[in-house]
Amino acid sequence: MRKLFAAAVALAAIGSHQGAIAASAATPCMSKSEFQSVAVTLLPVLHSQAVTSCKAFLPANAGLLVQSAELTARYASSAERERVAAGEILARMLADQLPVPMSGSAILPFVEGMLPGLLAQGIDAQTCEAANNIWTAIAPLPAENIASTLGAILVAASKDKKKDAGESDKSSARPLDDFAVCPYVATAETSGS
């Protein structure tokens, strides 16, 4: 999940302290479009928590901290369009981890409430520096492009992880640690004719 934080926060780096996000045969993965929907929806929470967690480690003029309220508001307007779809995707992906079934409209606030605490764990100056540098570079992009960048980074990072995690890694797993983006090849979109 640290990769989720660092990549989403920096949108390139959601890291290492939040657990493995490596895709494997036993781990379900989200399609590129599913991940984009979830990432766009969670982007306001991720950005807000990144700002909160990194204030102590970054100078006041760091790109992540400058115009943070305006960026969070912009991400929130994009997130609103994806909420229903993202909730249903999360409900399906988390169904086996929940004691009782939950609808997408119920699971999404639960996940949004859980993320800040998960993301705040183990944040340090190095993580914040990487997050700031990457986020600053891609912050002007639309939320959908930021989510696509995050997905591409997670796919690339998952290739570096060992396919067989040790038992000690599995025992410390947290919800959302097993989320992975299915490998894909990005294609160019043609403009309207």
Side-chain angles (χ1 to χ4, degrees):
M1 186 58 108
R2 175 176 174 169
K3 284 187 183 172
L4 182 56
F5 173 72
V9 169
L11 295 190
I14 161 190
S16 354
H17 82 276
Q18 294 295 335
I21 302 184
S24 69
T27 303
C29 60
M30 290 184 276
S31 70
K32 177 186 174 214
S33 63
E34 288 175 326
F35 179 80
Q36 183 170 326
S37 180
V38 171
V40 165
T41 302
L42 297 178
L43 196 54
V45 174
L46 295 170
H47 179 260
S48 178
Q49 186 58 44
V51 170
T52 300
S53 294
C54 290
K55 275 184 181 177
F57 300 108
L58 297 171
N61 65 345
L64 179 64
L65 306 180
V66 175
Q67 298 179 341
S68 60
E70 293 87 354
L71 284 175
T72 299
R74 182 170 57 104
Y75 300 148
S77 70
S78 295
E80 208 46 49
R81 293 188 301 264
E82 297 290 333
R83 286 190 72 75
V84 172
E88 294 307 316
I89 293 163
L90 288 170
R92 180 177 45 83
M93 296 294 290
L94 291 171
D96 293 341
Q97 298 178 26
L98 300 172
V100 295
M102 292 178 76
S103 69
S105 61
I107 194 80
L108 189 56
F110 173 75
V111 170
E112 289 172 321
M114 181 177 69
L115 277 179
L118 290 173
L119 298 176
Q121 296 175 11
I123 297 306
D124 58 17
Q126 185 177 359
T127 301
C128 288
E129 182 180 306
N132 175 68
N133 294 346
I134 295 167
W135 198 294
T136 300
I138 64 175
L141 296 173
E144 293 77 10
N145 291 77
I146 292 171
S148 291
T149 301
L150 173 58
I153 290 167
L154 291 176
V155 168
S158 72
K159 293 178 181 178
D160 292 338
K161 293 290 183 182
K162 295 179 183 176
K163 292 191 183 225
D164 299 318
E167 288 304 313
S168 62
D169 292 339
K170 291 179 184 176
S171 66
S172 65
R174 291 170 284 210
L176 305 179
D177 278 353
D178 291 332
F179 275 59
V181 181
C182 302
Y184 67 92
V185 174
T187 57
E189 296 183 25
T190 60
S191 60
S193 1

